[in-house]
Amino acid sequence: MTKPLPILRRTLLGTALLLAAGFAGLAPATAKAEATEVRFARNLGLGYLPLYVMQDKGLVEKQARAAGLGEVKASYTPLGNPTTITEATLSGNADFGAAGVPAFIIAWDKTRGNANLRGLAALNAQPAYLNTNRPEVKTLKDFTEKDRIVVPSVRASYQAIVLQIAAEQTFGPGQHAKLDPQTVSLAHPDGTAALLSGKTEITAHFTSPPFQDQQLRDPKIHKVLSSYDVLGGPASFSALWTPTAFHDANPKLTKAVLAALEESVALIKADPQDAARAYIRIENSKLGVEEVAAMIAHPEISYDLTPRGIGTFTDFMARIGSIRNRPTDWRDLFFADIHDRTGS
């Protein structure tokens, strides 16, 4: 029997609506807009110079506009403790964290399976000096129980891990923690002031440029060792990382940040004096431009985004229990954005 026309019309209309709903469900969702603000938490010193230049020159904003993202605000918060920097990224108070490579490795290890912090790039390779105001200290064996050695963060910072490696080299297998009870956590400027005063329990400071250079201008301060002596040569000093959720939700912005880093490094290499001025402006430093430029151009320092010597740290840290997960390759710690580089 033929259906009455009104019923047929309603049936066809209902079928059309169902089909439309079905196709709508199959259609891709409207892309969520990327963030219009990106926040960096960084440590202090020339190990983070690419971020200083990015801030001074507005490079993230520039690259974001070039990527079609419109106006993006970039902000930079200086923090003197790598553990605090990691906490800032995990708490949502910062989108990117920048600190020493060992602190980054610890953050990567602890956040696997949840926040999944991973590296976007290395920032530079530079030596860290262990300086002292005690003339009789020539090697690690000369420190006594009364000495206190400043590092940015006990058992977590670049300097703290290098000191453990050096302790094992000096005192023998299993002795990596021998000097740990004598280490104290202070930001580089505070540690420098304490060492130079000679009026506190602080007798040594494992630091980085420009603080180690400032210290060595004082004839009462001398170098005990360099991190390059311990590690057998240059290795990445610092890295920039972000949670996987931010990286994946903001692919264009993340690429803009990486492009800003590339541009920053190129500017540093092309004009160390201008980079020095950027650092001095942001730090409100009393150091001279020529002095800082000489540090930036020092032959032992290189600004390069390729991770180098990561395996030296991960192998040691896994062996002593500082991390539970031992990566098989440096790429395990970094996003695919830089996997085409020849790192180590």
Side-chain angles (χ1 to χ4, degrees), residues 68-91:
L69 293 172
E71 295 303 315
V72 170
K73 178 184 177 183
S75 59
Y76 301 79
T77 301
L79 298 170
N81 184 297
T83 302
T84 305
I85 292 168
T86 300
E87 290 171 353
T89 56
L90 292 177
S91 64

Side-chain angles (χ1 to χ4, degrees), residues 133 146 148 150 186 191 193-203:
N133 59 16
K146 294 181 179 181
R148 292 295 178 267
V150 170
L186 281 177
L195 185 69
L196 291 174
S197 75
K199 298 177 181 179
T200 72
E201 63 180 357
I202 304 302
T203 58

